[in-house]
């Protein structure tokens, strides 16, 4: 009798490094085969993030940005200056938020935060590569107009920034936020990816799309069906 075939090893790994006083979930993802990494949303604490890369033997290849808010993008310029790595994202509709990073940094006690110019703006349906792997880019406006998420289909993994949280959703009271756009993005773009998808939110613990469809008081299926 043949032994059962073990499931194939996933091609990526990830770790979460909360940064800034706002405890934003910066995510380091890497290609297991090449050990090339991307930092998603480096809001700050750049020396600690660089030390984490060294600790895990990773080579930084990309900087990916979900949206232009200070706590998600404030350390981007510093990492670019240190490494020269390409900055990919967000969608160009978040240019005004990126331009405001310096002012926001002074306001929130993070004077090291600086604006930057992405090497590549991202749009719905784009693909970004990391080592020998690739992630799909999905434009999910609502929290900000240019918010994108990064999805690795084989690993059933997504980094969704401030679109969706365990038990909550992103704020829409910022300039150019839109509640209907956010709900449409969650239900029309995230849910079809599958209930088994595990996601890292911009703040707080991980969850799955299936769990949020059952229990999230803002976007659970039974909540929305009553509207």
């Amino acid at each position: 009798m043949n032994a059962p075939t073990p499931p194939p090893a996933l091609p990526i790994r990830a770790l979460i490094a909360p940064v800034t006083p706002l405890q934003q979930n910066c995510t380091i993802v890497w290609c297991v085969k090449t050990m090339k990494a991307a930092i998603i949303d480096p809001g700050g604490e750049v020396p600690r993030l660089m030390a984490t890369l060294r600790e895990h033997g990773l080579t930084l290849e990309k900087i990916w940005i979900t949206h232009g808010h200070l706590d998600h993008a404030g350390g981007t310029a510093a990492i670019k200056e240190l490494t020269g790595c390409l900055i990919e994202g967000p969608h160009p509709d978040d240019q005004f938020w990126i331009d405001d990073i310096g002012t926001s940094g002074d306001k929130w006690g993070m004077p090291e935060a600086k604006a930057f110019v992405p090497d590549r703006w991202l749009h719905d349906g784009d693909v970004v590569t990391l080592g020998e792997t690739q992630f799909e880019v999905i434009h999910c406006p609502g929290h900000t107009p240019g918010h994108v998420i990064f999805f690795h289909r084989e690993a059933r993994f997504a980094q969704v920034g401030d679109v969706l949280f365990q038990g909550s959703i992103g704020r829409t009271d910022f300039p150019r936020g839109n509640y209907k756009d956010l709900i449409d993005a969650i239900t029309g773009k995230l849910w079809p990816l599958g209930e088994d998808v595990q996601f890292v939110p911009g703040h707080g613990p991980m969850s799955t799309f299936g769990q949020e469809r059952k229990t999230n008081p803002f976007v659970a299926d039974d909540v929305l069906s009553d509207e």
Side-chain angles (χ1 to χ4, degrees):
M1 187 175 186
N2 293 329
T5 302
L10 293 177
I12 65 164
R13 291 192 65 188
L15 64 84
I16 301 171
V19 295
T20 83
L22 299 174
Q23 289 295 282
Q24 186 275 126
N25 284 335
C26 173
T27 307
I28 298 174
V29 295
W30 65 91
C31 166
V32 171
K33 188 170 182 180
T34 65
M35 299 297 281
K36 291 183 177 179
I39 292 182
I40 306 177
D41 287 358
E45 301 184 47
V46 170
R48 182 165 71 88
L49 295 177
M50 301 307 293
T52 300
L53 290 167
R54 292 192 296 270
E55 178 185 343
H56 288 82
L58 302 173
T59 300
L60 188 64
E61 184 178 49
K62 300 283 184 69
I63 306 164
W64 292 341
I65 308 297
T66 64
H67 64 293
H69 282 167
L70 167 70
D71 57 326
H72 290 255
T76 305
I79 295 177
K80 174 73 171 183
E81 184 175 346
L82 282 171
T83 67
C85 288
L86 291 179
I87 303 169
E88 297 183 320
H91 183 282
D93 283 351
D94 263 19
Q95 174 73 67
F96 75 105
W97 278 119
I98 294 172
D99 292 342
D100 186 60
I101 285 176
T103 301
S104 296
D106 290 338
K107 176 182 177 182
W108 289 96
M110 291 182 273
E112 70 281 0
K114 294 180 175 60
F116 59 90
V117 178
D119 295 288
R120 177 189 177 191
W121 293 105
L122 296 176
H123 299 82
D124 195 57
D126 282 348
V127 171
V128 290
T129 60
L130 177 62
E132 296 184 8
T133 71
Q134 63 181 31
F135 288 69
E136 299 169 42
V137 175
I138 302 170
H139 181 212
C140 292
H143 177 65
T144 69
H147 201 303
V148 299
I149 73 129
F150 298 95
F151 175 54
H152 194 284
R153 190 169 293 272
E154 182 181 350
R156 315 304 294 153
F157 171 85
Q159 217 288 2
V160 303
D162 285 353
V163 173
L164 179 69
F165 305 100
Q166 184 187 84
S168 190
I169 59 174
R171 291 173 57 178
T172 58
D173 57 336
F174 294 119
R176 294 184 62 190
N178 186 291
Y179 178 79
K180 183 179 186 302
D181 285 350
L182 183 65
I183 298 301
D184 288 348
I186 292 169
T187 60
K189 293 187 172 183
L190 299 190
W191 288 175
L193 300 178
E195 294 191 9
D196 62 325
V197 174
Q198 298 185 74
F199 71 90
V200 178
H203 306 263
M206 292 182 67
S207 184
T208 66
F209 292 158
Q211 182 66 24
E212 299 312 302
R213 292 188 70 167
K214 293 180 178 70
T215 64
N216 191 300
F218 297 92
V219 288
D221 292 351
D222 61 351
V223 172
L224 295 179
S225 67
D226 292 336
E227 294 184 354

